Amino acid sequence: MASSGEEPRSGSPGRAGTGTELPPTADGAQLDTAEDFEVLEEEEEEEEEEEEDLSELPPLEDVGRPPAAPREDAQPSEQDPQEWLDVLGSGLLKKKTLVPGQGVDTHPRKGQDVTVRLKATLEDGSVVEENPALTFTLGDCDVLQALDLCVQLMEMGEMALIMSDAKYCYGAQGRSPDVPPNAALTLEVELLAARDAPDLELLSGKEKIELANRKRERGNFFYQQADYVLAINSYDIALKVIGSSSKVDFSPDEEAELLDVKVKCLNNLAASQLKLDHYEAALKSCNLVLEHQPGNIKALFRKGKVLAQQGEYREAIPILKAALKLEPSNKTIHAELSKLVKKHADQKNVETEMYRKMLGNPSAASAPGKCKDKLPWSIPWKWLFGATAIALGGVALSVVIAARN
């Protein structure tokens, strides 16, 4: 919920960085491999562009106000290993106070918008980020996890040093071109301000769209990092923003844009849920998309995949056929549909064999066929003699009763 003036550029480790934007193969109209549906969709104009070259962006020092002058009493203490706080108890994330703050009662709270001064360096001392006023919502995972977790422990005005493993920064993928894969970072952070986040009901249509898109893009970043739990968290926050009530009237165009963002979030949410085998949740997300857009190919495809994973081939096949009808040249749907048809045929063969065994020896069923050559009136003589005797007995009994009367 950072103001647009304070929003760092895409290269900042405080945001999604270059990892936020997904590869151009995310275009739903250009699905050439079986995995393309698993890649999240981006804006149409982004899909047609080549991968963004961040080397052309202006340096982050040019963004916002100039760095604050160091405080006169800011005398960083010597690094004593005993002074480090092991934040998670694993040794992978440590915090050390360089300059004390204004007291424990000034700790920021989750949900507040906080502003920090940030300097990030690699282990070799290379500076990869300097931001004099980075603003983010605390606890929403809008920034590096190392920063989000440790700022909660800081006091207002405190300056701290954070040493973080790559797991809580940019992970195995890093951030091109300045943060290599599996790179640990050292963050120098000063907590400058904390304030309550703006009321969602009072946001304008444009503000709500921008906020929801920032949360969605952060979810895309986590998806690329294969952190599907945090991706789901970000998409859920974006959907909460979109679904919040409003005291402000939106234009028809803003309503349409909000719906478009909602559909993207739900589609990406379903993709993340599929990665975690949360099939019921993914099915619900797909159905919500199809309520708004019955012809959404990605939602149809993912719903078909969910049903197939649950063994519901009979339901999955018509859904994939409907998706293929909308986009007949889609090789991904063709491949998935062919696979399901084969699995369904195999499933029916197994069921047929099972029923045959349940009914007993199949050869016994053909035994009555041996009597087909006999005439329908061919009756054994013993049965005929017995029937005649019973008939005569009945006549004799009738005569006796009549005589007595």
Side-chain angles (χ1 to χ4, degrees), residues 257-277:
E257 194 169 351
L258 277 172
L259 178 59
D260 182 62
V261 177
K262 179 180 180 180
V263 166
K264 288 181 178 180
C265 287
L266 287 169
N267 257 331
N268 296 350
L269 180 61
S272 302
Q273 291 163 336
L274 263 173
K275 290 290 189 181
L276 297 175
D277 296 337

Side-chain angles (χ1 to χ4, degrees), residues 41-249:
E41 62 182 340
E42 290 295 329
E43 313 299 342
E44 215 172 280
E45 57 270 23
E46 293 173 352
E47 295 173 343
E48 297 173 355
E49 295 176 355
E50 295 182 358
E51 188 172 349
E52 187 178 5
D53 182 6
L54 295 182
S55 62
E56 297 301 321
L57 291 178
L60 288 169
E61 298 90 288
D62 296 341
V63 182
R65 60 178 177 81
R71 292 166 26 177
E72 294 181 359
D73 59 344
Q75 298 293 331
S77 59
E78 294 183 3
Q79 295 184 11
D80 184 347
Q82 295 181 354
E83 296 178 5
W84 288 94
L85 171 65
D86 190 349
V87 177
L88 300 175
S90 62
L92 300 179
L93 182 62
K94 296 185 293 183
K95 170 187 171 292
K96 180 179 181 179
T97 299
L98 300 180
V99 178
Q102 300 170 11
V104 294
D105 57 340
T106 63
H107 282 304
R109 302 185 307 276
K110 283 186 176 182
Q112 286 188 315
D113 283 354
V114 297
T115 302
V116 302
R117 180 181 64 80
L118 173 67
K119 179 180 179 180
T121 59
L122 298 174
E123 290 178 313
D124 63 3
S126 303
V127 178
V128 294
E129 172 70 17
E130 279 191 284
N131 196 316
L134 170 64
T135 299
F136 59 94
T137 303
L138 192 61
D140 274 12
C141 298
D142 289 343
V143 291
L144 299 178
Q145 281 186 275
L147 191 60
D148 204 24
L149 291 169
C150 292
V151 169
Q152 300 179 38
L153 307 176
M154 295 179 64
E155 302 170 2
M156 193 60 59
E158 176 183 341
M159 185 184 298
L161 202 62
I162 299 168
M163 295 184 65
S164 173
D165 183 78
K167 179 179 181 181
Y168 304 105
C169 296
Y170 288 100
Q173 295 193 17
R175 185 191 70 181
S176 178
D178 51 359
V179 181
N182 298 310
L185 289 181
T186 298
L187 310 176
E188 185 180 302
V189 185
E190 182 181 3
L191 180 56
L192 302 176
R195 62 183 181 276
D196 290 339
D199 189 342
L200 294 178
E201 291 187 341
L202 301 179
L203 293 179
S204 67
K206 182 179 178 181
E207 289 171 331
K208 183 171 280 194
I209 291 167
E210 289 177 350
L211 178 58
N213 266 323
R214 285 204 299 271
K215 303 300 182 181
R216 178 182 65 85
E217 289 166 2
R218 190 61 182 168
N220 293 355
F221 166 75
F222 286 125
Y223 187 97
Q224 272 202 328
Q225 297 289 331
D227 196 334
Y228 305 116
V229 173
L230 289 181
I232 288 172
N233 178 70
S234 293
Y235 296 136
D236 279 338
I237 294 174
L239 290 168
K240 180 182 177 182
V241 171
I242 296 169
S244 61
S245 59
S246 179
K247 297 178 180 178
V248 180
D249 292 331

